[in-house]
Amino acid sequence: MAKSKFPGGRRTGNPAARPSPGARPQMAGAASSATVAVDDAPPKKKTSPAQFFSQVRAEARKIVWPSRKETWITSVMVFIMVLLAAAFFWIVDWLLGQASTIVLAIGQ
């Protein structure tokens, strides 16, 4: 897990600039005495291409590929679910076709 840049794991900001919980918001024309501090973050260091590719290789080593058995089982389960969905929609389509035939026959 990445290490937090802020103590305690959360960024708290400037507590003096935050209004108290019961305070009413200031109107647009009202003068504000609170100042907002801007964090001066150090510029990010650029990653060299060699360092980038070494990081990519390190991340690629963390990939856990499924075994042949896991791939086979998953494929069979997908095929079964496709057959069940096809059967369900075929039955619903047939029932709706029969119902529409009955309803249209009433008008003749």
Side-chain angles (χ1 to χ4, degrees):
M1 190 157 102
K3 188 175 179 181
S4 175
K5 294 180 182 179
F6 303 102
R10 284 192 287 174
R11 184 175 178 171
T12 58
N14 184 358
R18 274 191 250 136
S20 62
R24 294 176 56 195
Q26 293 181 350
M27 303 306 280
S32 174
S33 62
T35 59
V36 178
V38 177
D39 291 336
D40 291 327
K44 291 186 178 182
K45 295 180 181 177
K46 296 207 177 210
T47 305
S48 69
Q51 189 178 17
F52 172 76
F53 286 113
S54 70
Q55 289 174 355
V56 169
R57 286 186 58 207
E59 289 297 322
R61 280 189 225 114
K62 296 178 186 177
I63 297 173
V64 178
W65 296 100
S67 67
R68 183 177 294 268
K69 183 179 178 182
E70 289 172 330
T71 304
W72 174 253
I73 290 172
T74 305
S75 300
V76 169
M77 292 303 294
V78 167
F79 185 69
I80 290 170
M81 292 304 294
V82 166
L83 288 177
L84 288 173
F88 171 77
F89 286 116
W90 180 74
I91 291 169
V92 169
D93 180 54
W94 182 79
L95 289 173
L96 290 174
Q98 293 298 318
S100 67
T101 302
I102 292 169
V103 169
L104 292 174
I106 293 173
Q108 290 183 353

